[in-house]
Amino acid sequence: MRFFYNLLLTAVLAIILNLFLPWWSIMLSAFVTGFSIRLKKSAVFFAPFLGIWLLWIVYGYSVSSANSFTLSTKIANLLPLGGNVILLTLITGIIGGLAAGAAGITGRLFSEYFISPDKN
Amino acid sequence: MLSLLITLGVWYGLNTKFGQIPPLGKFLDPFHGFWQNEQTETNSPETELSLERLSAPVSVHYDQQLIPHVFAQNDLDLYRAQGYITAQHRLWQMEFQTMASAGRLSEIVGAAAIDYDRGQRRKGMVYGAQNTVDLMSENPIQKALIEAYRDGVNSYINTLSDGELPIEYKLLDYKPEQWTLKKTALLLMYMTDMLAGGESDLENTNALKLWGKEVFDLLYPDFYEDQDPIIPIDTDWSGINVVPVEKPDTEFPMDFVSQTMVKPHPHNGSNNWAVSPEKSANGNAILANDPHLGLNLPSIWYAMQLSTPEKRTYGVSLPGALGIVIGHNDSIAWGLTNAGRDVKDWYKIQFQDNNRTAYAYEGSWRTTTKEIAEIKVRGGKTVYDTIVYTHHGPVSYDHNFGNTNGKVGYAMKWAGHMRSNNQQTLLELNRARNYEDYKNALAHFSAPAQNFVFASTSGDIALWVQGKFANKWPDQGKFLMDGTLSSHEWQGFIPQEHNAHTKNPERGFVSSANQHPTDENYPYHTYSDGYETYRNRVINDFFRANDNITVSHFQTLHNNNYNLKAAELLPTMFDSMETSDLTANEVAVLEEVKRWDFNNDIEKNGPTIWEIWWRKLFVMAWDEMRNDSIAFDYPSSYQTIWLLKNRPDFKFFDIQDTEEIETASDLYLKSFKDAVNDLAELKENDRYSWGDYKRTYVGHLLQALPAFSRFNLPIGGNGGIVNATSQNHGPSWRMIVEMSDTPKAWAIYPGGQSGNPGSKYYDNMVDDWAAGKYFEALFMKDAESNSDQLLFSQTLTPSK
C-alpha cells in the first residue's frame, strides 16, 4: 500500500509542481515523496520510477494522439528511433522514471539522515 | 552523500545538451518539452488574447490555409498585431534569420559557424543594418510603426511559457531575445545580401590578368546576343539628359586572388509579368509573380491580409518586416524580381604599415576606423576579429581573412551598406491607389535593386527597374579597382527618374525574369555578372503568341517546363557529333534523347540525359578554369553555347591534358561517352527519370534536418526554365492577381503558415505546389463576412 501511496503522491505532486517549475519538478516531487513516505529496498526506486513513468507516458501519448502523432513521429525519426512513436513514448517514460527514481532514493536517504535512522 | 551526487549528476545529464543531442530530460518532458509542440493551431485555438497598448480591439480571422486576415482600426494597431501574429507562427525562424544575418550563429550552434559569422561581419552586415536603423528613425511616423511591430513581437515573446517555445529552441537549447528595430533592419539586410550580394569582380580580375581583354570580353560580354530585355527594345531614350562619366586613364590593379567569399545562390531570381486589359480575355489587367529562392521550411514567406478602414492588403510578408512585400490591395497589385545589377565593388587598399591605421588616398594618408567584432561561441572561447573600415567601406579581405599580405586589403563598396528605406516603400505600396502612388513609393528603395511589376484595376500596367545605381564609366566595378584614386570611385548615381521603366507599352504586356534591364541603347552602364538568358525569352514569346489571356494561361506559364537551353544546343550536338564508333548502348541513349521534346517533365528520361551530358561538356569546355590557386567564375551557359555554336574551334575547347587539339564536336562526343557511363549507374539506382534524378526537396532551415523536411517532391522544371524548380531552389511563392473591380488572387507556396513541425499547417501546401495547383485567395471585405470559410477567429483586446 505504501508503495502505491508513494507512486501516487509522486505523480500528483509532479503535476502540481509542473505548473511552476521546469522538467525537474518530477525530481523534486520524488525527493519529497521519498522523504515522507518511506519504502524498503528496491521499492524506494521503483515507486517513483513507475509513478513518473506512467505520468509521462500517459500524458505524452494523449497529447500526441490528439494531434495524430504528427510531431512525435518526426521526433522518433530525428532521435533516431526509426519513426517508432511507441518506442519514443517508452523512452520518454524511462528517462523521467530514472530521474524520479534517483531523486526518490536521495529523498529516502535524507529522511534517514536528518530525521531518524531506519528502524526496519 | 553519494546518492545526492548521483541525483545531481542525473539532473545535470538530462538538463544539458551534448553535441547534437538535446537535453533529454528537458526535451522529453511531456509538460514542457517537445510533446507540448505537438499542436495544430486549430486544436483548441485561443479566441481572446490581450495585447499591450492597442488602442482598439483587433480581429483576426484564419482562413482554410491558416492565413490570418487582420482588421485593425489604425496602422499602429495593425503593425503591432502583425508583429504579434507573425511571432505566434514564425518566431524561431524570424529570429534565426536575423542571427544569421548578424553573424551570430556561433552563439547558437558553436564553433562550426565561426567562419560563416566572420564572413558576415566582414561583409558589413551589421554596419548596413545600423545605417538602415538610423534612416528609419529619422521619420517619426515610420519609426512609431516599426516600434509597434517590435512591441507586438515582444508581447508574444513575453507571454511564452517554456512549453510553448518553438521546438527548435528546445532542440538547440536556447531562448529568444527581445525583438529590436535593428533585427528588422538585419532581416532586410539578409534579403539584400541574398539578392544583391553577388559579384565576380575579383574572379574577373584574375581572368583579365591571365587572358587579356579580348578573350575576357568574349567569355564575359556585357550584352548577350539575341536577348529580350525587360524594357522593350524599341524604347526611346532620347529624352534622357545623361550625366556624363569619363573613364579615367589609369589601369586596374592586377592582383591574383585564390579564394573569394561564398556567394549567394546563382539561381536567386524570379519571374513577374502583367498583361494589359486589351490583351486579357476579361478586359482586366492580370499580374503574376514567382520569386525563386532556396526552398525552406518554415517558408521564407508568411501570407496575410492586413486591413484598416483605409486599406486592405493581401499577399506575403517577410517574417520580421512590416507590411506585405508581394501582393495586392483594392486598387493595385505588385510583384518583384531581382534586378541583379552589379552594385558591389572592390577597392585595393594600400595600408601605411601592418597596423593598418592609415591608407593611401590621392597622395596622402587617410585614417582608418577599426571595429572589433566579438563572436561569442557556444561551448568555446569568444573569437575577436578586427575589421578595418575605410571611406570605401569595410576591408573584408586582409591578412586576417583571405590571402593578401599585411599592407594590402580589399575594401567593399556596396549599395547594400547605404542608407536605404525599403520598409517605407513597402508601407506605401500597401496603401497605393494608382500608378503615381506606386512610382512615388519606389523612390525610397535603394537595395537590393528590384524589377517592380505593377497592374491596377484602372487598367495600367508598368514595370520599373528600381534601385540606387552608381553612374559607372565603362568597365567600372567589373574588376578590382584602385582604392588610392578618387577617379576609381563611384562618381554619382543615376537620377531616380532615369531608372529604366515602361508604362502601358504597345505590346500589351510587361515582364521581367532577371535578364538585361534594357538593350544597349539605354544611355547608362548596366553591367551584371549574371543576367538571365532563357526564361525571359520563353515568357515574352508566350505573350507575343497569345491573346485573350486568362488566369489559366498564367498558371500554365508558371508551370512551363520548356528547356530552351537544351533546345538551342542539342540539335547542333546531334548534327556535328561523329557517331560512327558509338556502342549499341550509346546509340540507344542518343536515340532516346533525340526523341525528347525538350520539356523537363518528371516522367521523362530526356532531361536527365541532357543534364548529365551538358554538365560533362561544360566542365570539359572550361578545364582551364579548374585551378585551386586562382578563383574563376565560369562563363554563363548562354555564352558557352554561343561559343560552341559560333566558334567551335575556340582555343579553350582544346582539352589541356590531351595531345590532340579538340574542337566543339570532339567535346560533344567525349562528354557524351562520359555521360552514358554515369547514366548507366543512375539507371541501376532508379534515378533515371527526371523526377527521380532531380529529387526536389524543401529543407528545414537547420541544414535540412531530415525529420522536418520534405523530400522527393514530384515536380518538373529546373534552373533556367520558367518553372525554375531545381533540387532545392525554385518558386517560393506563386501568385496571380486578376485586377477586376475587386481584385481576385490565386496563390500557393511550398510550405505552410505554421512554423511548427508539429502542426498540420507546417507543410500542408507542399503537395499542391508540386502539382502546380493554387488556392483561391480569400480577400475579406470586412471582419464580419465569409465566416463559413474560416477555421477560427481571434480578438486581440487592449490589455489594461
Side-chain angles (χ1 to χ4, degrees):
Chain A
M1 219 41 200
R2 286 170 78 86
F3 182 90
F4 181 70
Y5 287 146
N6 180 302
L7 184 156
L8 193 69
L9 183 63
T10 308
V12 169
L13 201 54
I15 292 172
I16 296 165
L17 291 173
N18 259 321
L19 298 173
F20 327 101
L21 294 174
W23 74 275
W24 45 260
S25 54
I26 54 163
M27 295 183 76
L28 192 60
S29 150
F31 176 87
V32 171
T33 310
F35 190 93
S36 42
I37 305 178
R38 288 185 179 189
L39 295 174
K40 279 178 255 177
K41 298 186 186 142
S42 63
V44 177
F45 175 82
F46 280 108
F49 177 92
L50 277 177
I52 296 304
W53 187 80
L54 273 172
L55 176 68
W56 276 27
I57 280 180
V58 170
Y59 187 58
Y61 191 86
S62 66
V63 164
S64 197
S65 80
N67 194 48
S68 321
F69 304 102
T70 309
L71 185 62
S72 51
T73 310
K74 291 176 182 178
I75 298 297
N77 276 310
L78 182 118
L79 276 181
L81 306 168
N84 188 332
V85 175
I86 301 296
L87 192 58
L88 175 66
T89 314
L90 290 175
I91 289 176
T92 295
I94 290 169
I95 293 284
L98 280 176
I105 294 172
T106 311
R108 173 72 165 83
L109 293 176
F110 265 54
S111 85
E112 228 172 85
Y113 186 82
F114 290 108
I115 310 292
S116 61
D118 195 349
K119 286 165 201 142
N120 295 309
Chain B
M1 275 308 104
L2 180 66
S3 162
L4 180 65
L5 283 178
I6 291 172
T7 304
L8 288 174
V10 170
W11 172 80
Y12 179 80
L14 299 178
N15 197 48
T16 309
K17 178 170 173 276
F18 295 99
Q20 303 284 340
I21 303 167
L24 283 177
K26 222 169 161 178
F27 187 70
L28 295 176
D29 170 9
F31 293 88
H32 308 95
F34 85 86
W35 300 92
Q36 286 294 316
N37 301 87
E38 180 80 276
Q39 287 291 342
T40 293
E41 288 73 4
T42 45
N43 287 1
S44 49
E46 290 181 84
T47 53
E48 294 286 333
L49 292 159
S50 73
L51 180 52
E52 289 157 32
R53 278 186 279 171
L54 280 179
S55 67
V58 173
S59 58
V60 186
H61 307 280
Y62 291 88
D63 69 19
Q64 296 299 318
Q65 281 76 33
L66 198 73
I67 294 169
H69 298 252
V70 184
F71 290 86
Q73 292 307 312
N74 56 60
D75 275 353
L76 275 174
D77 284 357
L78 182 70
Y79 295 120
R80 194 182 303 280
Q82 188 187 9
Y84 183 88
I85 291 162
T86 307
Q88 203 173 250
H89 285 162
R90 299 292 188 88
L91 176 63
W92 175 77
Q93 162 198 14
M94 63 198 278
E95 185 180 53
F96 186 76
Q97 287 171 336
T98 60
M99 297 293 272
S101 176
R104 291 180 57 196
L105 288 187
S106 305
E107 286 177 40
I108 303 171
V109 301
I114 291 175
D115 280 347
Y116 171 85
D117 284 344
R118 284 187 71 196
Q120 293 298 92
R121 307 290 181 105
R122 285 178 165 266
K123 276 194 260 185
M125 295 291 283
V126 184
Y127 164 68
Q130 188 57 51
N131 287 339
T132 299
V133 172
D134 292 347
L135 183 62
M136 291 192 301
S137 303
E138 283 173 15
N139 176 341
I141 299 170
Q142 191 194 359
K143 189 179 182 213
L145 296 178
I146 302 172
E147 285 175 345
Y149 183 95
R150 172 199 68 192
D151 295 343
V153 176
N154 287 333
S155 298
Y156 179 71
I157 293 175
N158 296 338
T159 62
L160 265 185
S161 65
D162 284 357
E164 290 164 330
L165 267 187
I167 185 144
E168 291 89 347
Y169 289 110
K170 297 181 185 177
L171 264 179
L172 297 169
D173 194 27
Y174 73 111
K175 289 206 166 168
E177 293 176 348
Q178 290 286 295
W179 192 262
T180 58
L181 298 196
K182 192 148 177 191
K183 284 187 189 278
T184 290
L186 280 165
L187 188 268
L188 296 169
M189 278 303 286
Y190 181 75
M191 296 307 294
T192 303
D193 185 43
M194 190 185 288
L195 298 170
E199 42 72 39
S200 307
D201 302 2
L202 302 177
E203 292 84 350
N204 287 349
T205 302
N206 289 343
L208 180 67
K209 183 172 179 184
L210 206 59
W211 300 314
K213 185 79 165 96
E214 198 182 324
V215 170
F216 180 89
D217 286 340
L218 198 54
L219 295 175
Y220 312 98
D222 274 6
F223 279 90
Y224 297 120
E225 257 184 31
D226 300 321
Q227 287 293 315
D228 200 347
I230 296 171
I231 306 303
I233 288 181
D234 45 17
T235 301
D236 177 19
W237 305 106
S238 58
I240 286 190
N241 219 343
V242 177
V243 188
V245 276
E246 283 292 314
K247 181 169 185 168
D249 189 21
T250 47
E251 298 295 317
F252 293 109
M254 285 289 108
D255 289 12
F256 272 133
V257 181
S258 65
Q259 212 188 348
T260 56
M261 287 190 192
V262 179
K263 308 282 170 65
H265 198 294
H267 288 171
N268 287 344
S270 314
N271 305 316
N272 65 23
W273 57 73
V275 296
S276 68
E278 295 73 38
K279 210 174 162 63
S280 87
N282 295 339
N284 301 318
I286 318 175
L287 175 144
N289 189 195
D290 61 304
H292 310 153
L293 296 170
L295 301 175
N296 290 322
L297 288 169
S299 163
I300 189 150
W301 303 110
Y302 181 70
M304 298 185 103
Q305 178 183 338
L306 298 174
S307 325
T308 62
E310 287 75 42
K311 62 163 188 291
R312 47 185 196 134
T313 317
Y314 178 92
V316 276
S317 64
L318 287 167
L322 284 71
I324 297 298
V325 179
I326 296 171
H328 71 90
N329 57 29
D330 273 300
S331 315
I332 74 153
W334 76 96
L336 313 173
T337 67
N338 198 25
R341 208 169 314 175
D342 181 17
V343 293
K344 186 191 268 189
D345 292 332
W346 293 99
Y347 288 90
K348 182 175 181 176
I349 301 300
Q350 316 266 10
F351 291 115
Q352 192 169 26
D353 52 45
N354 286 335
N355 292 328
R356 302 179 295 161
T357 47
Y359 62 103
Y361 182 72
E362 287 296 335
S364 61
W365 297 107
R366 277 210 183 185
T367 318
T368 59
T369 51
K370 288 181 186 170
E371 174 208 313
I372 297 175
E374 185 188 26
I375 300 169
K376 294 182 188 140
V377 182
R378 185 168 189 169
K381 267 171 71 176
T382 300
V383 173
Y384 296 94
D385 193 13
T386 306
I387 302 168
V388 178
Y389 279 78
T390 64
H391 75 286
H392 300 286
V395 182
S396 307
Y397 297 100
D398 59 18
H399 69 272
N400 291 324
F401 192 83
N403 31 33
T404 61
N405 70 49
K407 285 166 74 171
V408 171
Y410 301 138
M412 179 197 289
K413 171 83 178 177
W414 184 26
H417 291 148
M418 293 185 309
R419 292 153 56 98
S420 174
N421 208 341
N422 310 354
Q423 187 64 78
Q424 186 65 20
T425 298
L426 297 180
L427 294 174
E428 289 184 21
L429 277 176
N430 277 233
R431 57 170 184 259
R433 295 262 164 95
N434 51 42
Y435 176 78
E436 284 306 310
D437 289 351
Y438 147 86
K439 194 180 131 189
N440 294 334
L442 297 197
H444 309 286
F445 201 96
S446 316
Q450 299 289 301
N451 308 310
F452 282 83
V453 70
F454 168 88
S456 69
T457 48
S458 57
D460 287 326
I461 59 168
L463 204 154
W464 271 76
V465 180
Q466 178 58 35
K468 198 167 183 187
F469 299 114
N471 181 5
K472 294 184 176 180
W473 35 264
D475 289 342
Q476 187 179 17
K478 203 190 275 188
F479 308 101
L480 175 64
M481 295 195 286
D482 190 335
T484 68
L485 302 174
S486 64
S487 61
H488 277 215
E489 292 201 64
W490 293 358
Q491 306 294 309
F493 295 92
I494 298 177
Q496 171 63 28
E497 62 273 20
H498 292 185
N499 275 344
H501 61 276
T502 178
K503 185 189 176 196
N504 298 330
E506 250 170 67
R507 65 184 189 184
F509 70 93
V510 294
S511 80
S512 73
N514 320 104
Q515 77 269 41
H516 287 294
T518 64
D519 62 14
E520 291 174 76
N521 295 322
Y522 179 62
Y524 292 99
H525 291 280
T526 58
Y527 167 75
S528 161
D529 64 323
Y531 284 132
E532 198 278 335
T533 48
Y534 295 104
R535 287 181 277 119
N536 73 83
R537 291 181 291 151
V538 176
I539 292 166
N540 288 355
D541 289 349
F542 179 88
F543 286 117
R544 288 200 184 89
N546 291 285
D547 283 311
N548 295 320
I549 301 285
T550 62
V551 167
S552 116
H553 279 103
F554 274 36
Q555 297 186 348
T556 308
L557 186 55
H558 269 164
N559 291 284
N560 180 310
N561 287 336
Y562 185 64
N563 191 332
L564 179 58
K565 179 162 78 172
E568 288 188 335
L569 183 60
L570 272 177
T572 308
M573 293 163 100
F574 298 150
D575 286 347
S576 62
M577 185 168 82
E578 175 58 50
T579 54
S580 52
D581 71 332
L582 292 185
T583 65
N585 179 37
E586 287 164 350
V587 169
V589 174
L590 186 63
E591 288 308 315
E592 183 160 26
V593 70
K594 274 186 178 179
R595 285 194 302 272
W596 177 42
D597 63 0
F598 304 123
N599 282 309
N600 274 38
D601 303 326
I602 47 174
E603 71 285 356
K604 291 176 180 158
N605 300 331
T608 313
I609 302 173
W610 152 257
E611 188 66 24
I612 306 286
W613 189 2
W614 164 248
R615 283 188 200 172
K616 297 270 177 202
L617 173 65
F618 188 85
V619 172
M620 245 177 224
W622 305 123
D623 56 334
E624 293 78 2
M625 301 190 189
R626 256 175 297 147
N627 187 324
D628 290 339
S629 59
I630 307 178
F632 286 115
D633 203 30
Y634 285 104
S636 66
S637 296
Y638 186 83
Q639 195 60 14
T640 304
I641 290 174
W642 187 90
L643 287 164
L644 286 166
K645 285 165 74 169
N646 294 289
R647 304 278 187 92
D649 46 8
F650 184 47
K651 63 180 177 184
F652 278 68
F653 296 152
D654 176 39
I655 299 174
Q656 289 182 312
D657 299 340
T658 61
E659 300 259 316
E660 316 81 78
I661 304 287
E662 285 89 356
T663 65
S665 56
D666 299 313
L667 296 191
Y668 299 152
L669 182 63
K670 279 178 191 277
S671 56
F672 181 70
K673 284 177 171 285
D674 280 6
V676 171
N677 278 335
D678 283 20
L679 286 162
E681 204 174 305
L682 289 172
K683 206 166 196 169
E684 266 174 42
N685 296 314
D686 277 333
R687 296 200 58 181
Y688 202 50
S689 75
W690 182 237
D692 289 339
Y693 175 71
K694 181 164 68 116
R695 291 191 179 172
T696 294
Y697 70 93
V698 184
H700 184 266
L701 274 176
L702 282 177
Q703 298 186 308
L705 208 60
F708 294 172
S709 304
R710 291 287 307 274
F711 296 95
N712 300 326
L713 300 171
I715 179 168
N718 200 9
I721 291 176
V722 181
N723 173 13
T725 314
S726 50
Q727 190 182 33
N728 183 225
H729 201 279
S732 57
W733 162 245
R734 280 175 167 160
M735 177 187 83
I736 300 170
V737 194
E738 175 156 11
M739 301 309 286
S740 33
D741 290 343
T742 300
K744 186 156 181 46
W746 290 260
I748 192 82
Y749 69 86
Q753 288 286 95
S754 174
N756 175 17
S759 165
K760 79 175 205 212
Y761 297 98
Y762 173 68
D763 57 357
N764 59 314
M765 290 189 267
V766 170
D767 295 317
D768 278 351
W769 169 82
K773 294 182 187 163
Y774 299 75
F775 63 84
E776 232 181 277
L778 176 65
F779 192 34
M780 285 178 69
K781 227 178 176 55
D782 49 56
E784 282 73 46
S785 55
N786 310 95
S787 55
D788 53 329
Q789 294 169 57
L790 302 174
L791 293 172
F792 63 94
S793 299
Q794 290 177 329
T795 308
L796 307 178
T797 48
S799 62
K800 307 273 147 53

